[in-house]
Amino acid sequence: MRRGLGSEAFLRRHRGPARLLFAVAALVAGTIWLWSSSFVGLLGTYRVQDFVVNELWRTADSNGWIASSAPRTYWHPPPTESESNGYLRVRCNGGLTQQRSAICNAVVVARIMNATLVLPELDTNSFWHDESGFIDIYDVPHFIKTLKYDVRIVMSVPKTTRRGQTKKLTAYKIEPPRDAPVTWYRTTALEKIRKYGAIYLTPFSHRLAEEIDDPELQRLRCMVNYHALQFKSNIMKTSSDIANKLHSEGHFMSIHLRFELDMIAYAGCIDIFTPEEQEILLRYREEHFRNKTLVPRDRRFIGKCPLTPEEVGLTLRAMGFGNTTRIYLASGKLFGGKRFMKPFMTMFPRLENHSMVGSGKPEENTRGLAGSAVDYMVCLLSDIFIPTYDGPSNFANNLMGHRLYYGFRTTITPNRKTLAPIFMDRSEGHASRFEERVRQVMFNTHFGTPHKRIHPESFYTNSWPECFCQTKARNLC
């Protein structure tokens, strides 16, 4: 039986004359840009680049590819209660999108083991310091209904009766290896679940290898991530209201500004801060990360430092975005505060975030895990998304993958390694050809078009081609 795919129709781009005209226009535009880039000195840099910036507000060229998580081969139904090998419990740790990936992996693991999945648990207390769980963030009935042809899902481990006493079935606790292969679940884990009737995998973050040879299991990940995992209606409404308000005045871009205490400390980029701030960063690094001597300048030179707010602003301005550009900022508490944000806000004053939404009043559903969910949805719905740090950032990486699946929505990914020497030259007083050099870096990217996944790019960042099909090649969807 094939999985239910009603929601996939929403993700497919319109066909017909309009699509053909757009494709022709995109082809002509791309040809003009490629030709003019070779003669930039003759035609004028700004005129060429401004034209490209206007094109970025549209979705990228799909080249005939459309998103699809439908099975391409026979897909047997999930086991009945009597056929199931046992009950699978998982505890998903980390931030919103790390947990999201873990949920996708849990569904795939349940499928691999022919097991019944217990609704995943979210470890929100240690990271978010709130009590939100799966049922507070996601639409549970939708989750179960969407996956009814894939896995059997229950709300909790059932009770068992033994010697006249009724109690919950005790799950055997296991800590899976990081990036465990499919074979580990088909042997070690399967043996335990058959023996005990239920197993509890914790922690369950990055506990299944991302590269799996079976494309059907990869498509199941996409079905979970992009169809089954729907936020609760109150979160969806808040997100929609924010996006609609921003769109009411035209296009808007979203920026995930990862200039936060944990990321800066992890990267070891402390040289631009005051002695007091450096002490805070070093203390945080000592408490949370492996002891390793890092030289800030060297880290910056090889692109390991998150972009500062000012560097983000300078990059956008060099690309041709003006000070009227509407920007939604998704981020936690920025380290260094107003001192670092002031240059960015001077360049781009039309700035919003989920707390104010331009109304001057804090919105509901914008705190803790729910607030991160709102940020996620607004970034998904924005015309352009810019992650300023795509290293160990699950939020940015997963969003790039979701936007690819959602219709090849434009994503601008700054190449920090290539930009680093340009910014360093500028900070040392060598600003000659600064904007031209930035443009040469920034316009040398795919902007969200279909592209081959190359390590270390994550499957959650780029599920092409497994979760897509090519309409021009008669590839069944």
Side-chain angles (χ1 to χ4, degrees):
M1 184 176 293
R2 298 174 71 85
R3 295 196 285 264
L5 299 172
S7 57
E8 284 199 9
F10 176 74
L11 300 174
R12 297 182 178 180
R13 302 176 67 185
H14 295 295
R15 301 170 183 166
R19 181 185 177 94
L20 179 60
L21 288 173
F22 178 79
V24 172
L27 178 62
V28 172
T31 304
I32 293 173
W33 177 63
L34 288 171
W35 176 82
S36 58
S37 297
S38 303
F39 300 91
V40 66
L42 295 174
L43 296 179
T45 300
Y46 279 98
R47 185 167 67 82
V48 174
Q49 305 300 355
D50 285 346
F51 176 74
V52 175
V53 163
N54 290 334
E55 290 295 307
L56 291 178
W57 291 113
R58 306 180 185 182
T59 55
D61 183 12
S62 70
N63 196 29
W65 289 91
I66 60 173
S68 175
S69 297
R72 313 289 198 268
T73 58
Y74 171 72
W75 190 252
H76 64 79
T80 62
E81 184 176 3
S82 60
E83 295 170 337
S84 173
N85 282 320
Y87 293 87
L88 173 65
R89 285 180 60 197
V90 298
R91 180 171 173 266
C92 307
N93 55 305
L96 174 78
T97 44
Q98 183 170 304
Q99 292 174 353
R100 193 178 181 99
S101 299
I103 296 167
C104 298
N105 289 344
V107 172
V108 173
V109 166
R111 178 81 189 185
I112 291 169
M113 298 172 63
N114 206 37
T116 299
L117 178 65
V118 180
L119 195 70
E121 302 167 23
L122 306 186
D123 174 23
T124 54
N125 222 20
S126 60
F127 189 89
W128 294 102
H129 307 294
D130 68 20
E131 299 297 331
S132 299
F134 194 106
I135 61 174
D136 302 302
I137 302 299
Y138 293 106
D139 183 336
V140 174
H142 176 82
F143 179 75
I144 296 174
K145 180 181 178 181
T146 304
L147 297 172
K148 66 180 180 179
Y149 298 119
D150 306 297
V151 292
R152 181 169 177 264
I153 303 173
V154 296
M155 297 297 293
S156 62
V157 175
K159 293 181 179 180
T160 60
T161 301
R162 182 177 296 178
R163 296 177 182 177
Q165 293 185 339
T166 301
K167 62 179 182 178
K168 271 194 173 182
L169 180 65
T170 302
Y172 181 77
K173 186 177 177 180
I174 310 175
E175 182 175 340
R178 187 177 175 88
D179 299 319
V182 170
T183 53
W184 185 86
Y185 290 100
R186 285 180 175 157
T187 55
T188 303
L190 185 59
E191 178 188 347
K192 297 298 183 185
I193 201 171
R194 283 174 171 168
K195 180 178 180 179
Y196 295 99
I199 58 173
Y200 184 32
L201 304 183
T202 179
F204 196 72
S205 171
H206 306 292
R207 302 294 160 164
L208 175 64
E210 287 197 5
E211 294 301 329
I212 298 176
D213 290 336
D214 187 345
E216 295 294 14
L217 293 178
Q218 296 291 58
R219 282 188 277 273
L220 178 55
R221 273 175 161 157
C222 291
M223 173 59 76
V224 183
N225 206 8
Y226 308 133
H227 297 274
L229 282 175
Q230 180 174 290
F231 296 118
K232 293 197 71 170
S233 58
N234 59 329
I235 294 174
M236 296 294 281
K237 183 180 185 307
T238 299
S239 307
S240 178
D241 288 346
I242 293 173
N244 288 341
K245 185 180 189 307
L246 292 168
H247 271 135
S248 68
E249 297 185 32
H251 297 297
F252 82 94
M253 71 168 57
S254 58
I255 298 177
H256 184 230
L257 193 56
R258 198 67 170 91
F259 199 70
E260 299 156 352
L261 171 63
D262 63 329
M263 188 51 63
I264 297 168
Y266 171 83
C269 306
I270 68 173
D271 54 331
I272 62 175
F273 297 95
T274 66
E276 293 79 10
E277 291 168 339
Q278 290 186 24
E279 185 178 341
I280 294 171
L281 289 166
L282 289 172
R283 190 184 313 123
Y284 187 94
R285 179 171 179 80
E286 184 179 345
E287 293 173 355
H288 294 87
F289 304 117
R290 185 180 58 176
N291 184 24
K292 185 179 180 182
T293 301
L294 301 176
V295 180
R297 180 178 172 80
D298 293 347
R299 300 288 288 173
R300 193 170 302 281
F301 188 76
I302 60 175
K304 294 298 183 180
C305 295
L307 295 181
T308 68
E310 181 179 21
E311 288 170 345
V312 176
L314 290 170
T315 300
L316 292 178
R317 192 167 67 179
M319 291 182 71
F321 291 101
N323 62 2
T324 59
T325 304
R326 199 77 184 269
I327 296 174
Y328 178 85
L329 193 64
S331 70
K333 184 178 181 181
L334 301 185
F335 191 73
K338 295 180 180 178
R339 179 170 95 258
F340 285 94
M341 275 303 296
K342 186 175 180 180
F344 179 81
M345 295 184 70
T346 300
M347 287 182 273
F348 295 94
R350 303 189 70 188
L351 192 66
E352 302 277 4
N353 61 38
H354 70 212
S355 296
M356 303 307 291
V357 204
S359 65
K361 298 179 181 179
E363 287 286 315
E364 295 180 358
N365 312 316
T366 58
R367 296 179 179 85
L369 195 61
S372 185
V374 170
D375 274 347
Y376 185 94
M377 283 306 303
V378 177
C379 289
L380 177 63
L381 297 170
S382 64
D383 300 291
I384 295 174
F385 172 61
I386 304 178
T388 62
Y389 194 79
D390 59 337
S393 175
N394 293 288
F395 186 94
N397 287 326
N398 285 31
L399 256 170
M400 287 190 282
H402 204 154
R403 288 176 64 85
L404 191 76
Y405 191 90
Y406 199 65
F408 302 100
R409 291 177 171 247
T410 300
T411 298
I412 300 175
T413 311
N415 186 326
R416 296 187 314 281
K417 184 175 182 179
T418 312
L419 287 172
I422 302 174
F423 284 123
M424 292 173 75
D425 284 347
R426 182 182 181 276
S427 66
E428 295 168 2
H430 309 296
S432 176
R433 297 178 55 248
F434 170 76
E435 291 198 344
E436 181 183 342
R437 292 171 68 191
V438 170
R439 281 193 293 273
Q440 288 174 350
V441 173
M442 294 305 298
F443 284 100
N444 185 27
T445 182
H446 50 74
F447 293 123
T449 55
H451 62 281
K452 185 178 180 180
R453 183 171 67 252
I454 301 175
H455 182 78
E457 190 175 30
S458 164
F459 176 81
Y460 290 103
T461 303
N462 180 13
S463 60
W464 185 89
E466 292 95 333
C467 298
F468 296 82
C469 56
Q470 172 61 268
T471 56
K472 296 178 181 178
R474 296 181 181 178
N475 188 350
L476 294 177
C477 296

